[in-house]
Amino acid sequence: MPLGIVIRRLPGVTRWVQHVWKAVAVLPGAPEADWKELRHDGDTVEFHAATLPLELFRTDTEAYLHGLSAKVPSIYVVMREAESANPLDVVLVTASPYEAQDYADTGEELVEKVPMPEGLIAWIRDFIERHHEDEVFVKRKRKNTRVDLKEDGIGDARIRQVADVYRAPSSKETVH
């Protein structure tokens, strides 16, 4: 589903930061846009910065469920400093809080949490109902093999085993 990304530009609070940019809304089904001004109120300006596809994958339904169960279900907008004339490049939109966390962990991207419109919540919920499969937890069983009887890798092969296996070899010892 194409999602339009609305970004708000606010005046900076210090002399070193001229503007503060924040993703504030998404527009489901929006047409293509390239930093089209939507609203101007004093020093605050809202732009339809970009339209990106929101892709859902059946392997990520657990993450979508987690996102929908939050107090405020959200879409995550991933942005980074622009390499073009625009102030920011909008890289990705996702409904997965897990994927958003992966981008946030790198520290290279700015990840903003934007509340989901009700229609988008219903669309994602329908997708989950069609594709979600609960994974059954299977506890791994230990083998009855005694692994503590064999001492692989202990000591140095250059030291006779009757000696201390944890001792480093001296320059006088030779390999047998």
Side-chain angles (χ1 to χ4, degrees):
M1 172 184 290
L3 280 184
I5 310 303
V6 178
I7 296 181
R8 181 179 295 150
R9 182 184 73 194
L10 301 162
V13 293
T14 68
R15 61 182 170 176
W16 296 279
V17 178
Q18 193 172 22
H19 300 290
V20 176
W21 300 92
K22 182 167 177 61
V24 292
V26 292
L27 307 168
E32 288 296 317
D34 186 26
W35 289 89
K36 178 182 176 186
E37 187 175 314
L38 297 177
R39 186 168 58 175
H40 195 103
D41 183 19
D43 290 339
T44 302
V45 183
E46 287 187 356
F47 297 94
H48 180 183
T51 299
L52 295 174
L54 173 64
E55 296 180 283
L56 301 179
F57 302 96
R58 67 178 80 193
T59 55
D60 292 340
T61 55
E62 180 184 339
Y64 306 145
L65 272 171
H66 182 83
L68 289 181
S69 67
K71 187 173 182 179
V72 177
S74 299
I75 287 290
Y76 300 88
V77 179
V78 180
M79 303 169 285
R80 64 174 61 119
E81 285 189 30
E83 296 175 6
S84 62
N86 298 327
L88 293 170
D89 286 333
V90 183
V91 179
L92 174 78
V93 290
T94 182
S96 169
Y98 303 163
E99 185 176 16
Q101 183 65 47
D102 290 343
Y103 279 96
D105 286 345
T106 66
E108 294 178 15
E109 288 87 10
L110 174 65
V111 179
E112 293 280 343
K113 194 174 175 180
V114 178
M116 264 189 224
E118 288 185 27
L120 192 56
I121 292 172
W123 185 70
I124 293 172
R125 187 171 286 130
D126 287 346
F127 180 86
I128 292 169
E129 287 174 3
R130 282 195 313 269
H131 299 289
H132 183 67
E133 295 176 11
D134 285 324
E135 290 185 35
V136 178
F137 177 74
V138 178
K139 185 171 181 177
R140 188 174 54 95
K141 295 191 182 209
R142 281 173 101 172
K143 296 178 182 171
N144 290 332
T145 307
R146 294 279 311 262
V147 294
D148 60 330
L149 298 178
K150 193 173 177 186
E151 294 185 355
D152 283 340
I154 289 184
D156 191 320
R158 296 172 289 177
I159 299 175
R160 291 185 315 264
Q161 290 302 310
V162 294
D164 183 3
V165 295
Y166 297 104
R167 182 173 53 88
S170 66
S171 60
K172 296 178 184 175
E173 292 184 39
T174 58
V175 178
H176 295 301

